[in-house]
Amino acid sequence: MVQGTGSDVGKSLLVAGLCRAYARRGLRVAPFKSQNMSNNAAVTPDGGEIGRAQALQARACGLPPSVHMNPVLLKPQTDVGAQVVVRGRVRGNATAQDYRALRPELMPDVMDSFRTLAVEKDLIIVEGAGSPAEVNLRDGDIANMGFAEAADLPVLLVGDVDRGGVIASIVGTHVLLPENERARLVGYVINKFRGDIRLFDGALDAIGERTGLRAFGVIPYLEAARRLPREDAASLGSGDGSRTGGSVVIAVPRLSRIANFDDLDPLIAEPDVDLRIIEPGNAMPGDARVILIPGSKATAADLAFLRAQGWDVDIKAHLRRGGLVVGLCGGYQMLGRVVHDFDGIEGTPGSVMGLGLLDVETTITGNKTLREVTGVELASGLPIHGYEMHVGVTEGPGRAYEWLELDVCDGDEDVRPEGAVSADGRVMGSYLHGLFRSDAFRAEFLRRLNPERQGGLAFDAQVDAALDALADHVEAFVDLDGLLETAKGWRSP
């Protein structure tokens, strides 16, 4: 089990690198994370949902994603509450306090999923959540040492030197753990090192003297890791609104409940695209060719947030200048005339006015659509693929101008129209996540913005190349043989 001294220390990518490295050695490997908190989720082939990081880790193993790889997923909807997804299906909503009481009841589901994976694999690499040293959250824990004890796992600790204070974070975590949990720590790695690694020798000595823990590696910062999908919205953009290069400017408002923002990754990867995450308090840039409104976990709340920033005014000014507006999932719902949430599925019951850019209206329902789809863009006939993950139905006269035509991958439905396009073709919306991962469609979409554009990248191939580079990096700087032998020889303390 890989646990961190805190959030965002690189656990997810380290697990992905370990998965790919051990899989290349011929081992049957699978990732596992008992509890994840993210609004960036992936659909599994059987119509469930898990954290995007576990889907990437599954890919690193050469496996399709499974609900058993992330049996508990928390999707924040408010500052104090989240949607609780258990083994791919929505269980309900819970406040932070309610969820603390619920956690022990979820452990049987978590352990059943772990055993389901383990029965057919040589190696399971488990990712923790946050830090095991958060002693105020220890009771009923299913994410860190609570799960390590239940599954009887050795624990590798990860510290991030790029944050500063890494010696204190490793030693402090060791000190704060009770003796029985401390005995599960078999060693540590230092992540995201920059500079001459030899200068860190004294730090390794200091950590060893105070903890007795074995150093399994010091991992230099890897630039190629930036090409891999991110799970945390905090990693999006620099926040300064500065130009990052590229002739096609695409502006994306950072919504307060932004969801499935990996929709942006293929566009970010294109060298001629300057994708800017617009932070609250900043206006939409006047040189943007496209404003893309992403998904949201709480559409009505984010509509109010968007208006509070004045972005609704900016969007209409952008259209008057001849720009394009694209809405995906929650962003698509916002483009319509009104959003009804009569039952309070995503927040306070009621209706809110949309942006009125498409002649459609949305009704939020309790039924969640989760499915992989393929299809074509109607205007070009080019193939597309992606997934739907939404609550709500969008209908209205604006649907007469459909954007896409879809065929559900499980074959349960006939070909059907999806999304809507305004009569002038400058506003378009769809529920389809992953749309821009389709290389031919993305290339054509960008060519319409820049007719002189040539070619385009193969996004999925780039992701696999980045996973291979990550595995090479882990092979070079982590004692993989030592870790594997430690796991094989583990005896419960």
Side-chain angles (χ1 to χ4, degrees):
M1 185 173 191
V2 176
Q3 296 183 13
T5 58
S7 297
D8 199 29
V9 298
K11 297 187 298 292
S12 295
L13 286 185
L14 177 58
V15 170
L18 291 171
C19 283
R20 176 60 64 97
Y22 285 124
R24 294 194 310 195
R25 293 183 172 197
L27 294 172
R28 298 174 299 169
V29 189
F32 184 85
K33 184 164 185 169
S34 55
Q35 173 193 295
N36 200 350
M37 177 177 281
S38 177
N39 275 333
N40 211 24
V43 170
T44 61
D46 58 354
E49 59 179 312
I50 62 173
R52 173 60 57 182
Q54 282 63 65
L56 179 68
Q57 292 160 359
R59 181 173 186 153
C61 296
L63 299 174
S66 164
V67 295
H68 296 300
M69 295 171 180
N70 175 207
V72 178
L73 175 62
L74 305 177
K75 306 186 78 172
Q77 289 183 298
T78 69
D79 289 339
V80 295
Q83 184 181 80
V84 181
V85 179
V86 180
R87 294 212 272 195
R89 297 290 185 269
V90 176
R91 178 72 60 90
N93 295 328
T95 65
Q97 193 64 38
D98 290 340
Y99 181 69
R100 289 194 68 176
L102 175 64
R103 286 188 306 185
E105 299 177 22
L106 300 178
M107 184 63 92
D109 289 315
V110 168
M111 289 303 301
D112 184 66
S113 285
F114 180 72
R115 295 188 187 104
T116 298
L117 284 180
V119 73
E120 57 186 27
K121 296 293 182 286
D122 302 314
L123 177 65
I124 305 292
I125 304 178
V126 181
E127 180 186 341
S131 165
E134 294 165 346
V135 293
N136 56 312
L137 302 177
R138 177 61 181 87
D139 290 344
D141 169 58
I142 64 172
N144 287 307
M145 284 298 181
F147 178 75
E149 287 190 334
D152 191 16
L153 302 176
V155 175
L156 177 72
L157 196 59
V158 183
D160 178 3
V161 72
D162 206 32
R163 289 166 165 255
V166 72
I167 299 174
S169 66
I170 296 285
V171 175
T173 299
H174 185 266
V175 168
L176 284 169
L177 293 177
E179 185 175 350
N180 62 309
E181 295 179 2
R182 194 182 305 152
R184 292 192 174 276
L185 297 177
V186 294
Y188 66 94
V189 297
I190 301 297
N191 201 17
K192 306 181 193 176
F193 191 85
R194 301 173 192 260
D196 188 342
I197 290 181
R198 292 172 297 179
L199 299 178
F200 202 71
D201 288 346
L204 297 178
D205 292 339
I207 293 171
E209 289 170 5
R210 288 162 176 80
T211 67
L213 293 177
R214 174 180 174 181
F216 279 91
V218 178
I219 309 173
Y221 177 82
L222 178 64
E223 182 64 29
R226 292 171 60 88
R227 300 200 300 268
L228 292 169
R230 293 151 293 183
E231 187 173 53
D232 190 346
S235 65
L236 282 175
S238 61
D240 60 7
S242 61
R243 187 173 182 83
T244 59
S247 59
V248 176
V249 178
I250 299 177
V252 179
R254 187 194 286 270
L255 304 175
S256 63
R257 297 297 170 195
I258 188 171
N260 292 80
F261 46 84
D262 57 309
D263 285 336
L264 308 176
D265 289 336
L267 295 168
I268 293 171
E270 292 284 0
D272 61 334
V273 170
D274 176 6
L275 190 140
R276 304 180 192 175
I277 304 298
I278 309 304
E279 302 290 340
N282 294 317
M284 291 290 141
D287 60 343
R289 302 292 302 279
V290 180
I291 293 178
L292 193 158
I293 307 175
S296 168
K297 195 67 189 68
T299 301
D302 266 340
L303 261 170
F305 182 80
L306 184 149
R307 288 192 168 101
Q309 308 307 315
W311 288 335
D312 56 331
V313 177
D314 292 346
I315 290 169
K316 290 175 181 177
H318 168 79
L319 283 171
R320 288 195 297 271
R321 291 192 295 268
L324 298 181
V325 176
V326 175
L328 296 177
C329 201
Y332 171 35
Q333 295 173 340
M334 294 181 200
L335 293 176
R337 291 181 285 102
V338 63
V339 176
H340 304 291
D341 188 0
F342 299 121
D343 297 323
I345 302 297
E346 292 188 340
T348 304
S351 301
V352 296
M353 300 303 296
L355 298 176
L357 303 180
L358 290 173
D359 191 9
V360 296
E361 64 179 60
T362 295
T363 300
I364 305 296
T365 66
N367 296 323
K368 192 167 195 175
T369 299
L370 290 165
R371 54 192 171 193
E372 295 181 314
V373 296
T374 59
V376 297
E377 186 202 25
L378 289 170
S380 65
L382 290 171
I384 55 172
H385 57 86
Y387 62 96
E388 292 181 81
M389 179 184 289
H390 62 90
V391 291
V393 177
T394 300
E395 296 293 350
R399 291 291 313 282
Y401 302 95
E402 298 97 357
W403 187 7
L404 312 171
E405 186 175 78
L406 302 182
D407 180 16
V408 179
C409 292
D410 60 16
D412 288 344
E413 295 187 19
D414 295 328
V415 170
R416 60 183 176 84
E418 159 57 21
V421 180
S422 62
D424 62 6
R426 292 195 290 115
V427 181
M428 55 200 74
S430 171
Y431 278 116
L432 189 63
H433 290 295
L435 175 63
F436 289 103
R437 293 180 73 100
S438 304
D439 293 333
F441 163 77
R442 185 179 68 255
E444 172 61 19
F445 179 86
L446 294 174
R447 189 196 62 77
R448 294 170 194 163
L449 302 173
N450 178 16
E452 298 180 359
R453 186 178 196 269
Q454 300 293 325
L457 59 84
F459 180 72
D460 284 334
Q462 177 176 283
V463 170
D464 277 319
L467 283 171
D468 282 332
L470 179 61
D472 291 342
H473 198 63
V474 169
E475 284 270 12
F477 294 101
V478 177
D479 182 2
L480 295 184
D481 291 330
L483 276 179
L484 192 58
E485 288 305 313
T486 298
K488 288 180 178 179
W490 173 249
R491 295 292 181 271
S492 181

